[in-house]
Amino acid sequence: MLSEFLVTEMARGGDADRLPLHRQLYEALRRAVLDGQLSAGDRLPSSRELTQDLGLSRNTVVAALNQLAVEGYLVSRVGSGTFVNDELPRAKARSKAHRAHAPVAQLSRRGTALSTTFCATQLEIQPFTPGPADFSAFPVALWQRLQNKHWRMTYPDMLDYSYSGGHAPLRRAVAQYLRMFRSVPLDIDQVIITSGTQQSLELCAQLLADHGDTVWLEDPAYWGAVKAFMATGLHLHAVPVDEHGMAPRTADEQRAPRLIYTTPSHQYPTGAVMSLTRRQQLLSIAEAHKAWILEDDYDSEFRFSGPPLSSLAGLDHSERVLYMGSFSKVLYPGLKLGYLVVPKRLVDAFKQAHYDLNRPGQMPLQAALAEFIELGHFASALRRARQGYAQRRQSLLEALQPCLGPSAQISGAEQGLHLCLRLPVHVDDTALVQRIAGLGLTVRALSAYCLERTDAKGVVIGYGYAPLVQIARFGPVLARAIAAELA
Amino acid sequence: MLSEFLVTEMARGGDADRLPLHRQLYEALRRAVLDGQLSAGDRLPSSRELTQDLGLSRNTVVAALNQLAVEGYLVSRVGSGTFVNDELPRAKARSKAHRAHAPVAQLSRRGTALSTTFCATQLEIQPFTPGPADFSAFPVALWQRLQNKHWRMTYPDMLDYSYSGGHAPLRRAVAQYLRMFRSVPLDIDQVIITSGTQQSLELCAQLLADHGDTVWLEDPAYWGAVKAFMATGLHLHAVPVDEHGMAPRTADEQRAPRLIYTTPSHQYPTGAVMSLTRRQQLLSIAEAHKAWILEDDYDSEFRFSGPPLSSLAGLDHSERVLYMGSFSKVLYPGLKLGYLVVPKRLVDAFKQAHYDLNRPGQMPLQAALAEFIELGHFASALRRARQGYAQRRQSLLEALQPCLGPSAQISGAEQGLHLCLRLPVHVDDTALVQRIAGLGLTVRALSAYCLERTDAKGVVIGYGYAPLVQIARFGPVLARAIAAELA
């Protein structure tokens, strides 16, 4: 029974060519515990039995069991074997129904909204999941060396909070990078190191808008930003996106914005690149309404055709743009370091509030990152990543070719780590995505990102995470599923 | 004309030693367009003319023009040359005057409040500054070894965000510590690793309270908490603190709380330890109003007389207490790891929202910390620190002896890293603190922590940061200054 479950789990992982066997077994066993296939207190077959049943090497089995023991899933009792830790909470049937029927725990209204709408789920990361980048090639050994160097020369201040917007060498490195590659004119002083875009957004919303003030968001929108604005009590006003990016209508101006949140380099999720005219228009609107533009320049690093468009911040003469980015796509997500560039007149207030609200720290990590950038490792990681992603993108584009036509067109493939296949408005893209999930592939429905509009249908397809070989292998599968829908 | 403008712009770029020439030219041309030096529809000199006028290579000029064309600043018309895109909105005159007269920063009301009231200042850290702990003895080499170990065995998951409330071994270690030392009954599942108390507080306020809801705060209060509640739009209701901790009056209940924030182990800043009766009272009030208690158990580690009182969370039978703490006092502040324990019924919502709002990470650091605790290093660091602080406290108490009397009494010296010298209500404690600052010593005025009350005067004196020798040397100086005030 158990070994069958494990074999099935390991087989359908779909990650067969990436994860080492002991990791696959680890995942399968963990799933067995979490799904209730194994219950708290259950005795496991011995490693010898598992070795035989699964046809794996003893080392593989032992490595997986050890890891699970370290993490507390399993406990060993001398002389009697290995058991599922009976301190584990009783496994819950993982069903959608569970969530739906969970007692509403007396959350506040915003708490309920925050924990039930636009929720990221820990999807099985499968080929074509939009969002994640591939950080498996991150130079861990080099990173460790740099960290060690800075820990060795650590003086007590480095262990303290960071008072002045972040470690100065890192702020300098960020300023140089942004001046050079994003035409953002700035002084080092204007750079604030944050724990990433979520914190940057929250800080902007807290300092620049009051409860009930209006934020213009792109429709369809990036969930993370939606959440940050919900949490800070703003009124969300949806502005549709077309092929030139955010497209404000005359009527929108009746709902005067206090903040305008935009992703001009590669609109999330449609992938539209904002035209220069549109950029100028947004800047004029911001000036007319004394509003602030929050420019989230995520994905600007990965441009595949043509030179990068310069940022909104680079066009801004009225100091109305706050520019933000993070290192998570080029380095790794868990790093939790990003940057926010604020106009000079806001610097003092932002640094003060950032310190008081967030007590930023992680200075040795910031120092290692500064040196990583200064020594050119960031640039080479970026170059390598760009090449790798370009191949994956090419492979995906080729695979999708057969299902393209007047009613199925690609948008947003010039840049970033995902593209969007736009479909006719009558298509039920949610159902399509579920059918595709049945094939072991993860894409997202464009409509799932929509705030108000009902005319945006399609599938958002990521090529950042899965290796080229998987894209080449599963791309045609995906294309056939989509073509079948359109037939 | 144009070429002079361009040469001047390129020369004053200040980036001469960094930006390649074509980028300098690109920037100068872009500026010419944006500043109105070139107007929409204007024809540009040919690339040959520009090459000659500027003394640049043809390739340089062509690269710059191409980039500007791609970005939409310029358009080429076959046979007639290159023009400034006439779809661009008319450039506005950028005058310095405009910048200079920019109104003061236009923060929102909450932004103004957040950046101007109850602000922590980066004080010269001098003897007796309340707040900071002494992390100069933190075992950096050991810490580095543990980090290296976990970086060496890092698998890609460890570089990703943390989806399930934090690294399981760390959550287990925290759960064991809290069960053992703080009598908090809990499952591992209930522990959420946050970036510290500020994030824990913010998450609680966002999920459990709506804008305008009331939070009861101790008066005088901890600034960090005040800020977190201001940022999340709550109505602050001040409840006075007496020698038994937070002391709700009948009238307070007319302002029904949604949240009650308290520091029962060692009230910040008075140092009062909450009595058991008061704890029971708070729990009853919370139950009656369906309110949530946020128990900030900072400083609970450092108790110098008597066994620790068990936590409010340990007394709570209605699952109304959320318990929080951090590692910054025992390890080091910049670590940015803390924990929040939530009632079972809130676990799913908190984990979901924590992930969506904060995208937590730093898993290798979490793994190192888990092992630091498991191997007993946390316990020994704590033991060492407690001994060291006990000596400093003793030295400070002895030094203050001469200025004690009916009108100057010490509160809060049983626990924590600071004590409070209460003074008569007519004393101007702010002026006293300034006179003490003139001696090169930093203490804080008790009145500076007050929300509403005007009867709490005194000086808050820290013994966490300065080494024993400094306390022994400067303690008498401090005592004389205070005695002079009272004379």
Side-chain angles (χ1 to χ4, degrees):
Chain A
M1 258 308 266
L2 175 66
S3 53
E4 275 162 34
F5 176 87
L6 294 175
V7 168
T8 317
E9 278 291 314
M10 289 174 68
R12 77 164 185 170
D15 291 328
D17 32 14
R18 188 157 28 82
L19 284 183
L21 277 175
H22 68 94
R23 285 290 299 169
Q24 293 182 42
L25 177 57
Y26 158 86
E27 290 291 353
L29 275 166
R30 204 170 63 100
R31 192 134 309 290
V33 173
L34 295 173
D35 289 2
Q37 195 68 222
L38 283 169
S39 302
D42 278 3
R43 186 180 172 286
L44 253 73
S46 71
S47 59
R48 199 168 39 81
E49 286 164 336
L50 282 171
T51 302
Q52 287 176 355
D53 291 356
L54 302 172
L56 296 172
S57 84
R58 186 102 197 287
N59 282 346
T60 301
V61 172
V62 170
L65 294 179
N66 280 349
Q67 173 88 34
L68 289 159
V70 165
E71 298 191 1
Y73 290 97
L74 305 179
V75 287
S76 286
R77 297 194 194 117
V78 180
S80 54
T82 302
F83 298 80
V84 177
N85 189 346
D86 49 17
E87 284 184 23
L88 284 180
R90 205 139 292 282
K92 293 190 197 89
R94 269 197 322 157
S95 70
K96 300 236 155 151
H98 168 71
R99 264 172 201 259
H101 290 295
V104 186
Q106 290 161 292
L107 299 173
S108 59
R109 290 187 302 282
R110 74 175 159 199
T112 305
L114 283 170
S115 60
T116 57
T117 53
F118 290 108
C119 287
T121 45
Q122 184 182 16
L123 296 164
E124 296 282 347
I125 301 281
Q126 296 177 138
F128 310 123
T129 306
D134 183 358
F135 44 86
S136 64
F138 179 70
V140 169
L142 165 67
W143 184 239
Q144 205 181 331
R145 232 170 22 246
L146 286 176
Q147 286 199 80
N148 273 323
K149 177 176 159 189
H150 288 279
W151 273 102
R152 264 195 308 275
M153 39 187 246
T154 268
Y155 44 99
D157 278 11
M158 294 291 284
L159 299 180
D160 203 350
Y161 295 126
S162 140
Y163 290 88
S164 46
H167 191 52
L170 179 58
R171 290 190 287 123
R172 190 166 52 240
V174 167
Q176 281 170 354
Y177 172 79
L178 294 179
R179 274 194 218 119
M180 180 78 113
F181 292 101
R182 304 299 302 134
S183 306
V184 180
L186 77 170
D187 287 346
I188 296 169
D189 203 41
Q190 292 172 259
V191 178
I192 297 174
I193 303 300
T194 66
S195 71
T197 298
Q198 290 302 118
Q199 191 173 72
S200 299
L201 285 172
E202 189 182 48
L203 203 53
C204 290
Q206 285 166 337
L207 290 189
L208 301 175
D210 282 309
H211 185 265
D213 280 353
T214 297
V215 57
W216 283 10
L217 287 154
E218 294 162 332
D219 190 6
Y222 168 57
W223 289 350
V226 173
K227 285 284 166 100
F229 299 129
M230 283 166 67
T232 45
L234 304 195
H235 171 81
L236 311 183
H237 178 78
V239 175
V241 170
D242 65 17
E243 66 274 29
H244 303 298
M246 193 176 210
R249 303 149 297 189
T250 316
D252 289 318
E253 298 203 44
Q254 284 162 22
R255 189 83 214 194
R258 175 83 182 164
L259 303 179
I260 300 174
Y261 170 75
T262 182
T263 52
S265 283
H266 189 232
Q267 200 273 332
Y268 197 89
T270 68
V273 177
M274 190 179 285
S275 67
L276 185 59
T277 317
R278 218 40 94 55
R279 285 170 200 243
Q280 300 280 19
Q281 185 193 354
L282 268 197
L283 288 166
S284 306
I285 291 176
E287 194 159 3
H289 293 280
K290 301 267 173 255
W292 302 96
I293 294 180
L294 312 185
E295 177 176 23
D296 183 354
D297 212 17
Y298 97 100
D299 262 7
S300 65
E301 302 90 348
F302 301 114
R303 183 157 183 81
F304 303 112
S305 44
L309 279 171
S310 71
S311 61
L312 269 168
L315 297 171
D316 172 32
H317 294 307
S318 336
E319 304 199 10
R320 300 232 138 255
V321 176
L322 292 94
Y323 177 96
M324 60 193 76
S326 94
F327 296 101
S328 62
K329 285 277 166 70
V330 181
L331 279 81
Y332 60 98
L335 174 65
K336 297 303 296 167
L337 289 175
Y339 45 85
L340 171 65
V341 180
V342 305
K344 288 202 179 102
R345 55 185 162 160
L346 297 179
V347 166
D348 289 345
F350 267 70
K351 286 189 177 172
Q352 181 72 56
H354 182 41
Y355 177 77
D356 285 334
L357 289 168
N358 302 315
R359 301 272 195 278
Q362 306 290 16
M363 300 272 265
L365 203 65
Q366 294 191 29
L369 178 55
E371 190 164 354
F372 189 84
I373 299 173
E374 278 160 14
L375 295 180
H377 299 305
F378 185 78
S380 22
L382 192 49
R383 212 159 34 232
R384 266 198 317 275
R386 206 184 274 135
Q387 282 166 4
Y389 292 136
Q391 290 174 336
R392 298 179 192 193
R393 166 183 171 272
Q394 194 52 41
S395 171
L396 176 61
L397 285 174
E398 280 163 19
L400 291 176
Q401 207 55 42
C403 67
L404 300 185
S407 65
Q409 298 197 330
I410 283 173
S411 74
E414 301 80 16
Q415 187 149 351
L417 302 181
H418 73 266
L419 52 80
C420 185
L421 184 72
R422 305 296 291 261
L423 297 174
V425 65
H426 62 76
V427 172
D428 182 347
D429 56 2
T430 312
L432 173 58
V433 161
Q434 278 172 1
R435 275 195 295 282
I436 292 170
L439 303 169
L441 303 176
T442 303
V443 295
R444 294 224 181 100
L446 182 56
S447 61
Y449 295 93
C450 289
L451 298 172
E452 286 178 5
R453 60 197 287 186
T454 52
D455 63 332
K457 297 293 176 63
V459 287
V460 182
I461 309 172
Y463 48 88
Y465 189 75
L468 183 60
V469 53
Q470 289 194 4
I471 291 186
R473 182 167 159 209
F474 295 114
V477 180
L478 176 62
R480 276 195 299 276
I482 296 168
E485 180 71 25
L486 299 174
Chain B
M1 259 306 266
L2 175 66
S3 53
E4 275 162 34
F5 177 87
L6 295 175
V7 169
T8 316
E9 277 292 314
M10 289 174 69
R12 76 164 185 173
D15 292 325
D17 34 10
R18 193 148 24 77
L19 284 183
L21 276 175
H22 69 93
R23 287 288 296 171
Q24 293 182 40
L25 177 58
Y26 157 86
E27 291 290 353
L29 276 166
R30 203 168 65 97
R31 194 134 309 288
V33 173
L34 295 172
D35 288 2
Q37 196 65 223
L38 283 168
S39 302
D42 278 2
R43 185 181 172 284
L44 252 72
S46 72
S47 59
R48 200 169 37 82
E49 287 163 334
L50 282 172
T51 302
Q52 287 176 353
D53 291 355
L54 301 172
L56 297 172
S57 85
R58 186 103 198 286
N59 282 346
T60 301
V61 172
V62 169
L65 293 178
N66 280 348
Q67 168 98 23
L68 289 159
V70 166
E71 298 190 3
Y73 290 97
L74 304 179
V75 288
S76 287
R77 296 191 196 120
V78 181
S80 54
T82 303
F83 297 81
V84 178
N85 188 347
D86 49 17
E87 285 183 23
L88 286 179
R90 205 140 292 282
K92 296 194 193 80
R94 265 198 322 157
S95 70
K96 296 239 157 150
H98 172 68
R99 266 170 205 251
H101 290 295
V104 187
Q106 290 159 295
L107 298 173
S108 60
R109 288 187 302 283
R110 74 175 157 199
T112 305
L114 284 170
S115 60
T116 57
T117 54
F118 290 108
C119 287
T121 46
Q122 184 183 13
L123 296 164
E124 295 280 345
I125 301 280
Q126 298 176 137
F128 310 123
T129 306
D134 183 358
F135 44 86
S136 64
F138 179 69
V140 169
L142 164 68
W143 184 239
Q144 205 181 331
R145 228 165 31 241
L146 286 176
Q147 286 199 79
N148 273 324
K149 176 176 161 190
H150 288 279
W151 273 101
R152 266 197 306 276
M153 44 186 245
T154 269
Y155 43 99
D157 279 11
M158 294 291 283
L159 299 180
D160 203 352
Y161 296 126
S162 140
Y163 290 88
S164 46
H167 191 53
L170 179 57
R171 290 191 288 122
R172 187 168 57 244
V174 168
Q176 281 168 353
Y177 172 78
L178 294 179
R179 274 194 218 118
M180 182 79 105
F181 292 100
R182 305 297 302 135
S183 310
V184 180
L186 79 171
D187 285 347
I188 296 169
D189 204 39
Q190 291 172 259
V191 178
I192 297 175
I193 303 300
T194 67
S195 71
T197 298
Q198 291 302 117
Q199 191 172 73
S200 300
L201 285 173
E202 188 180 50
L203 203 53
C204 291
Q206 285 167 337
L207 291 188
L208 301 176
D210 283 309
H211 184 265
D213 280 355
T214 296
V215 56
W216 283 9
L217 286 153
E218 294 161 333
D219 191 6
Y222 167 55
W223 288 349
V226 172
K227 284 284 166 101
F229 299 128
M230 281 167 66
T232 45
L234 303 195
H235 171 82
L236 312 182
H237 179 78
V239 176
V241 170
D242 65 16
E243 67 273 30
H244 304 299
M246 193 176 209
R249 302 149 297 187
T250 317
D252 290 319
E253 297 202 45
Q254 284 163 20
R255 188 84 215 194
R258 175 81 181 167
L259 304 179
I260 300 173
Y261 170 76
T262 182
T263 50
S265 282
H266 189 231
Q267 200 274 329
Y268 197 89
T270 67
V273 178
M274 190 180 284
S275 66
L276 187 58
T277 320
R278 218 41 94 54
R279 287 171 197 245
Q280 303 280 17
Q281 185 193 353
L282 268 197
L283 288 165
S284 308
I285 291 176
E287 193 157 6
H289 292 281
K290 302 266 174 255
W292 302 97
I293 294 178
L294 312 184
E295 178 176 24
D296 182 354
D297 211 17
Y298 97 99
D299 263 7
S300 66
E301 303 91 348
F302 301 114
R303 184 156 183 84
F304 303 111
S305 44
L309 278 171
S310 74
S311 61
L312 271 166
L315 299 171
D316 172 32
H317 296 306
S318 340
E319 303 199 7
R320 299 232 137 253
V321 176
L322 293 92
Y323 178 96
M324 60 193 75
S326 93
F327 296 101
S328 61
K329 285 277 167 73
V330 181
L331 279 81
Y332 59 98
L335 174 66
K336 297 304 296 168
L337 288 175
Y339 45 85
L340 171 66
V341 180
V342 305
K344 288 202 178 102
R345 55 185 163 159
L346 296 180
V347 166
D348 288 345
F350 266 70
K351 286 189 177 171
Q352 181 73 56
H354 182 41
Y355 177 78
D356 285 334
L357 289 169
N358 301 315
R359 301 272 196 278
Q362 307 288 19
M363 301 272 266
L365 203 65
Q366 293 191 29
L369 178 55
E371 192 164 353
F372 188 84
I373 300 173
E374 278 161 14
L375 295 179
H377 299 305
F378 184 79
S380 23
L382 192 49
R383 212 160 35 233
R384 266 198 316 276
R386 204 183 276 134
Q387 282 167 3
Y389 293 136
Q391 291 173 337
R392 298 179 193 192
R393 166 182 171 271
Q394 195 53 42
S395 170
L396 177 61
L397 286 174
E398 282 163 18
L400 291 176
Q401 207 57 42
C403 67
L404 301 185
S407 64
Q409 298 199 329
I410 283 173
S411 74
E414 301 81 16
Q415 186 149 352
L417 302 181
H418 73 265
L419 53 79
C420 185
L421 184 71
R422 306 296 291 261
L423 298 174
V425 67
H426 62 75
V427 171
D428 181 347
D429 56 2
T430 312
L432 173 58
V433 162
Q434 278 173 0
R435 273 194 295 282
I436 293 171
L439 303 170
L441 303 175
T442 304
V443 295
R444 294 225 181 100
L446 182 56
S447 61
Y449 295 94
C450 290
L451 299 171
E452 286 177 6
R453 60 196 286 189
T454 52
D455 64 333
K457 298 293 175 64
V459 287
V460 182
I461 309 172
Y463 48 89
Y465 189 75
L468 183 61
V469 55
Q470 288 194 4
I471 292 186
R473 180 167 158 209
F474 295 114
V477 179
L478 176 63
R480 275 194 300 275
I482 296 169
E485 179 73 24
L486 300 174

